[in-house]
């Protein structure tokens, strides 16, 4: 079945990038000249997705503003012929897709945020693009996953190998390789200890889910002790144990906008390729690198 809908969870607290994320949602932190979440919506659109549900919470209204028209700004820009290009860029944002918003009223974890999309998604498989993971790729990662989901008729997680010392920060997948870049998932352990690591493949920000995930999430959330967050991984692990989950070792460069180093890497690498500032930024970086070498 073709994937036509996507959910972007963007209701987390962003504690790892405070104080930057105190009043500005981390999903709105910029990479050169666009907020992170715009890159994510653009990926979904490039994959042919028409309807996108963004899960927000209190204090994240600027995400809605970003995908809305900005009448006053557009009116001012329209009055200045020299600003025609930037006007087109501003207007293109609100025309990207049908973007819907829903509030997660309590921060109860990623599993709960996805459950908030139950009525929107209905009885169709859907894509989840984590709101703080920007992945740049010629072939959108969601398309790479959707092809496998359509072929096998089951859920799919986007994975890459991470250095072993980093696995405890993510999750670890038990896998059976099927063909190049495609594996069957047998189990998943969230934030494993070193002894629990099954493989260095971790889920990195992109997932396709079958609608049956919602009953698993409902059950999991109902059992969750008060004050704790419900991980999406718990329901994914259950799908894996039932033989209904595949993994794709995707092609693409991922930037973790939920941590400070990831934000700097994203900005540097995107700036280097940017048509307007790329050449100047490269010259600046080369000169800076020389001063760093000189200092040792
Ligand atoms: P993270 O766990 O990386 O986000 O969730 P976080 O909770 O904001 O991070 P820290 O640890 O406090 O820095 C991955 C994605 O899921 C969303 C986040 O906004 C992020 O885009 N999320 C997380 C929700 O939508 N709701 C939640 O309850 C938790």
């Amino acid at each position: 079945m073709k994937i036509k809908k996507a959910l972007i969870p963007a209701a987390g607290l962003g504690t790892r990038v405070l104080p930057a994320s105190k009043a500005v949602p981390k999903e709105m932190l910029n990479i050169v000249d666009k907020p992170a979440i715009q890159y994510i919506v653009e990926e979904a659109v490039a994959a042919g997705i028409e309807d996108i549900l963004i899960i927000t919470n209190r204090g994240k209204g600027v995400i809605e503003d970003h995908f809305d028209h900005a009448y006053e700004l557009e009116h001012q820009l329209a009055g200045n012929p020299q600003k025609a290009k930037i006007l087109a860029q501003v207007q293109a944002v609100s025309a990207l897709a049908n973007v819907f918003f829903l509030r997660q009223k309590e921060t109860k974890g990623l599993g709960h945020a996805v459950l908030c999309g139950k009525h929107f998604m209905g009885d169709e498989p859907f894509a989840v693009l984590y709101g703080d993971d920007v992945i740049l790729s010629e072939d959108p990662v969601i398309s790479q996953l959707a092809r496998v989901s359509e072929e096998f008729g089951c859920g799919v997680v986007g994975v890459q190998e991470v250095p072993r010392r980093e696995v405890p920060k993510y999750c670890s997948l038990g896998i059976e390789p099927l063909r190049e870049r495609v594996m069957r998932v047998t189990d998943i352990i969230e934030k494993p200890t070193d002894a629990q690591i099954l493989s260095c493949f971790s889920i990195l920000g992109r997932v396709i889910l079958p609608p049956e995930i919602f009953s698993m999430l409902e059950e999991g959330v109902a059992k969750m002790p008060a004050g704790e967050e419900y991980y999406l991984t718990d329901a994914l692990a259950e799908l894996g144990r039932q033989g209904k989950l595949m993994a794709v070792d995707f092609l693409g460069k991922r930037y973790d906008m939920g941590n400070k180093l990831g934000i700097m890497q994203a900005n540097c690498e995107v700036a280097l390729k940017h048509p307007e500032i790329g050449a100047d930024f490269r010259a600046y970086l080369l000169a800076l690198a020389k001063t760093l070498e000189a200092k040792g």
Side-chain angles (χ1 to χ4, degrees):
M1 200 171 177
K2 209 163 159 20
I3 309 298
K4 294 190 294 246
K5 292 182 182 174
L7 183 148
I8 302 179
L13 298 178
T15 52
R16 286 167 296 150
V17 287
L18 281 168
S21 56
K22 186 179 170 201
V24 177
K26 67 174 167 178
E27 295 82 7
M28 285 299 289
L29 295 177
N30 72 304
I31 303 178
V32 185
D33 53 6
K34 292 191 278 188
I37 198 158
Q38 187 179 331
Y39 289 86
I40 296 170
V41 168
E42 286 171 351
E43 179 193 330
V45 171
I49 288 172
E50 291 149 18
D51 295 326
I52 300 171
L53 177 67
I54 302 182
I55 306 294
T56 62
N57 66 7
R58 284 176 296 282
K60 300 225 181 190
V62 287
I63 301 181
E64 297 182 33
D65 294 342
H66 186 70
F67 291 101
D68 195 358
H69 286 289
Y71 284 109
E72 197 179 333
L73 174 68
E74 288 173 33
H75 178 75
Q76 293 284 343
L77 293 173
N80 182 345
Q82 284 168 349
K83 304 273 182 188
K85 195 170 155 201
I86 188 68
L87 172 64
Q89 285 173 349
V90 167
Q91 287 174 329
V93 179
S94 46
L96 268 172
N98 304 320
V99 184
F100 302 83
F101 298 89
L102 195 93
R103 285 196 179 193
Q104 182 187 23
K105 296 190 186 82
E106 287 173 81
T107 311
K108 288 185 177 175
L110 183 53
H112 179 261
V114 172
L115 180 56
C116 292
K118 181 179 171 189
H119 294 291
F120 183 87
M121 296 306 164
D123 203 20
E124 293 175 39
F126 60 98
V128 179
L129 300 90
Y130 299 9
D132 56 356
D133 276 318
V134 170
I135 310 180
L136 302 181
S137 172
E138 291 222 338
D139 181 13
V141 176
I142 279 299
S143 300
Q144 298 175 41
L145 269 55
R147 289 195 290 271
V148 172
S149 162
E150 283 160 29
E151 180 183 346
F152 291 89
C154 64
V156 184
V157 289
V159 301
Q160 282 188 337
E161 274 185 293
V162 300
R164 193 177 168 99
R165 65 175 186 288
E166 306 245 327
V167 178
K169 284 198 275 180
Y170 298 93
C171 66
S172 174
L173 267 67
I175 45 144
E176 281 168 9
L178 279 190
R179 62 168 189 251
E180 206 189 351
R181 300 196 167 275
V182 180
M183 301 155 253
R184 190 172 288 285
V185 179
T186 53
D187 204 358
I188 309 176
I189 300 186
E190 179 71 19
K191 299 197 171 41
T193 62
D194 191 63
Q196 289 174 318
I197 291 176
L198 303 169
S199 77
C200 290
F201 282 106
S202 287
I203 301 171
L204 297 180
R206 298 293 180 269
V207 177
I208 302 240
L209 295 172
E212 65 189 278
I213 197 79
F214 289 119
S215 52
M216 295 175 175
L217 292 173
E218 266 165 349
E219 234 175 83
V221 168
K223 284 187 203 147
M224 185 181 64
E228 277 186 32
E229 293 198 1
Y230 182 68
Y231 297 127
L232 178 61
T233 326
D234 295 346
L236 290 173
E238 185 54 35
L239 272 186
R241 287 190 291 269
Q242 293 177 9
K244 295 176 184 167
L245 192 66
M246 308 293 289
V248 172
D249 180 6
F250 63 79
L251 291 170
K253 183 73 207 272
R254 167 188 176 256
Y255 300 103
D256 181 359
M257 293 298 288
N259 84 59
K260 292 163 196 147
L261 186 60
I263 294 171
M264 293 314 298
Q265 288 165 336
N267 273 285
C268 265
E269 292 181 30
V270 172
L272 281 169
K273 292 187 193 135
H274 195 280
E276 204 180 304
I277 62 162
D280 287 346
F281 186 65
R282 183 182 155 80
Y284 161 76
L285 266 193
L286 287 170
L288 180 67
K290 273 199 192 127
T291 66
L292 295 178
E293 267 173 25
K295 282 183 195 152

